[in-house]
Amino acid sequence: MKLLRLGNKGKEKPTIIDSDGDYRDLSSIINELNPDTLNFETIEKIKHIKLSELPKLDKGNRIGSCITKPSKFIGIGLNFSDHAEETGAKPPSEPIIFMKATSSINGPNDNIELISNSKKLDWEVELGVVIGKKTKHIIEEKSQEHILGYCLVNDVSEREWQIENTGQWVKGKSHDTYGPIGP
């Protein structure tokens, strides 16, 4: 199942891509793709809908972020040994966990703002994991039961702010356009 949000920023419609590759309007079924509405029960409901009866949407519409208003936007730093090696760092023995502000989320093709005084803007493509239910202290064997889906994430960073100045990763990763996600 491929879900996305189509439309102008702040006015996107929940959308599904059918088996013919057509974009179908899901707004009669679900009003938004956010933590309040996007869950395993909603996915089950969508599985039983005849998609061909839903209105088609223009594929030329802007693609927004695949979800909106998540409670957290968490990243794992140096999560690939090749990336650690290319940065000159040792792979960490424990994961480096950092937060990106949820206000940094935007659509996958939206412009990324080059902020004045930004000298070392960088990006990495990451796999995003969308958690579909409240999750706390789960064992590894149960982790797959909590994953609702996957999306692309473009982790944009201002490396000078992140590393050289204060060492505060959030500052270097949380500007308003530094979190393109989706579809």
Side-chain angles (χ1 to χ4, degrees):
M1 182 179 299
K2 294 181 180 178
L3 302 174
L4 61 151
R5 296 170 62 247
L6 285 185
N8 293 331
K9 198 164 197 162
K11 297 184 179 184
E12 298 93 342
K13 287 184 175 188
T15 304
I16 189 166
I17 301 175
D18 69 17
S19 60
D20 295 325
D22 290 322
Y23 290 10
R24 300 289 183 159
D25 183 351
L26 275 175
S27 62
S28 63
I29 311 303
I30 180 173
N31 66 345
E32 187 53 277
L33 300 180
N34 64 36
D36 294 330
T37 58
L38 187 58
N39 51 49
F40 290 101
E41 292 79 23
T42 301
I43 295 299
E44 278 304 312
K45 184 177 178 181
I46 292 170
K47 284 180 183 177
H48 300 288
I49 293 168
K50 193 169 183 180
L51 298 180
S52 62
E53 294 178 359
L54 295 175
K56 283 186 186 180
L57 294 172
D58 181 358
K59 290 182 182 181
N61 284 326
R62 172 190 166 271
I63 298 174
S65 61
C66 55
I67 60 170
T68 184
K69 300 182 181 177
S71 61
K72 294 175 186 67
F73 191 178
I74 300 170
I76 308 295
L78 299 176
N79 52 344
F80 297 101
S81 58
D82 289 353
H83 180 50
E85 187 178 304
E86 87 181 5
T87 64
K90 264 187 170 174
S93 58
E94 289 288 323
I96 296 171
I97 299 173
F98 64 90
M99 303 290 286
K100 285 180 80 90
T102 56
S103 60
S104 72
I105 292 174
N106 61 346
N109 303 314
D110 290 346
N111 290 332
I112 294 171
E113 182 182 346
L114 180 60
I115 305 167
S116 60
N117 300 320
S118 174
K119 296 176 184 162
K120 296 184 177 179
L121 195 63
D122 193 14
W123 57 273
E124 303 168 81
V125 176
E126 302 286 357
L127 174 66
V129 179
V130 179
I131 306 300
K133 60 183 172 181
K134 293 226 181 248
T135 301
K136 193 174 191 177
H137 304 295
I138 59 169
I139 59 173
E140 184 177 351
E141 292 78 21
K142 299 275 186 182
S143 62
Q144 294 294 315
E145 296 172 17
H146 296 258
I147 297 173
L148 185 67
Y150 301 93
C151 65
L152 293 176
V153 175
N154 191 348
D155 179 18
V156 180
S157 307
E158 181 12 274
R159 297 293 188 202
E160 181 184 34
W161 299 347
Q162 175 192 349
I163 299 167
E164 297 171 19
N165 286 350
T166 63
Q168 296 296 318
W169 284 34
V170 173
K171 181 178 180 183
K173 292 180 166 285
S174 291
H175 185 270
D176 286 348
T177 63
Y178 284 10
I181 63 171

